[in-house]
Amino acid sequence: KNEVEQSPQNLTAQEGEFITINCSYSVGISALHWLQQHPGGGIVSLFMLSSGKKKHGRLIATINIQEKHSSLHITASHPRDSAVYICAVSQYGGATNKLIFGTGTLLAVQP
Amino acid sequence: DSGVTQTPKHLITATGQRVTLRCSPRSGDLSVYWYQQSLDQGLQFLIQYYNGEERAKGNILERFSAQQFPDLHSELNLSSLELGDSALYFCASSPQSDYGYTFGSGTRLTVV
């Protein structure tokens, strides 16, 4: 079982829809990251969370530390939101903040 | 521009060859991480350097090595290349003070 699980793996939405991507993890963490990667492109850090909720534009990320669960929400989705969204965690303790990644959610927003 | 610079962006080379990937971290960041993204394995941690010293090692092959120089730029050396080494190699940097990450745009390595 992977230490970081994402669902769904693939998601197709119509423009304007509200989208939720889920992430569950099984290790103690110091932070959780949501990353975006366009096809063939680089990785952009969207959010870093250690508790609560963050909002940036149409994107909202929440985390529940007790349940070891995080969600990424996209409101009023747009075709330009089409990308792979990756959940990653920095494991608590130790000397490194290396990331452990989920397998990603491929989002396609159709006009 | 994220502030993390990776060169080259694309690299095509033959099996058995050796290549060097370069990363300049965001100004002020002391940690550099190298990650490999392949179709079958996803994103995997290779190695981390902090202020010139190796901090952590992940699934890095013995054919691969890295270093971080006094100016904090880092190089990832891949030798005796195999077809399976074809992947996207990302560098990321983070400051000492928190867990924030900034990724470079990656180097796409194709081994033919």
Side-chain angles (χ1 to χ4, degrees):
Chain A
K1 191 178 189 298
N2 293 333
E3 293 161 305
V4 181
E5 299 273 0
Q6 278 184 246
S7 63
Q9 286 192 316
N10 293 281
L11 183 56
T12 300
Q14 294 298 313
E15 184 173 357
E17 285 185 2
F18 181 85
I19 289 164
T20 296
I21 300 170
N22 295 299
C23 175
S24 297
Y25 52 91
S26 57
V27 297
I29 67 168
S30 51
L32 182 142
H33 302 254
W34 282 103
L35 311 170
Q36 180 193 56
Q37 185 177 27
H38 283 98
I43 296 172
V44 174
S45 179
L46 299 175
F47 294 103
M48 181 185 70
L49 295 161
S50 53
S51 65
K53 176 180 175 177
K54 287 190 176 180
K55 184 175 189 292
H56 185 260
R58 295 179 295 104
L59 302 179
I60 303 166
T62 64
I63 188 168
N64 184 319
I65 296 295
Q66 287 71 33
E67 295 186 4
K68 295 188 173 179
H69 181 269
S70 176
S71 293
L72 176 68
H73 305 287
I74 305 175
T75 62
S77 59
H78 190 277
R80 65 175 173 266
D81 297 325
S82 299
V84 175
Y85 292 84
I86 303 167
C87 173
V89 301
S90 301
Q91 194 168 357
Y92 178 80
T96 177
N97 291 329
K98 67 170 186 177
L99 294 181
I100 306 169
F101 298 89
T103 52
T105 295
L106 177 59
L107 171 65
V109 181
Q110 296 178 342
Chain B
D1 181 12
S2 68
V4 176
T5 304
Q6 284 190 253
T7 56
K9 290 196 185 312
H10 302 275
L11 201 47
I12 301 174
T13 190
T15 55
Q17 294 299 304
R18 181 180 190 274
V19 297
T20 297
L21 313 184
R22 181 186 169 104
C23 170
S24 294
R26 198 178 61 158
S27 178
D29 287 356
L30 299 179
S31 274
V32 170
Y33 304 79
W34 286 97
Y35 293 94
Q36 180 194 57
Q37 186 179 37
S38 60
L39 284 176
D40 55 345
Q41 297 285 334
L43 274 159
Q44 301 232 325
F45 169 68
L46 294 178
I47 197 163
Q48 177 198 359
Y49 279 82
Y50 177 81
N51 202 20
E53 299 289 328
E54 183 184 300
R55 176 64 67 93
K57 236 177 187 179
N59 300 322
I60 187 166
L61 300 172
E62 285 192 12
R63 301 183 285 108
F64 295 1
S65 65
Q67 54 185 327
Q68 186 179 29
F69 295 87
D71 67 352
L72 299 178
H73 92 270
S74 178
E75 293 181 355
L76 179 66
N77 301 296
L78 315 176
S79 61
S80 303
L81 284 167
E82 302 175 0
L83 295 177
D85 298 327
S86 296
L88 262 171
Y89 291 85
F90 286 101
C91 166
S93 71
S94 71
Q96 180 183 8
S97 58
D98 62 32
Y99 306 108
Y101 257 74
T102 305
F103 283 84
S105 56
T107 294
R108 182 174 295 279
L109 173 66
T110 303
V111 183
V112 297

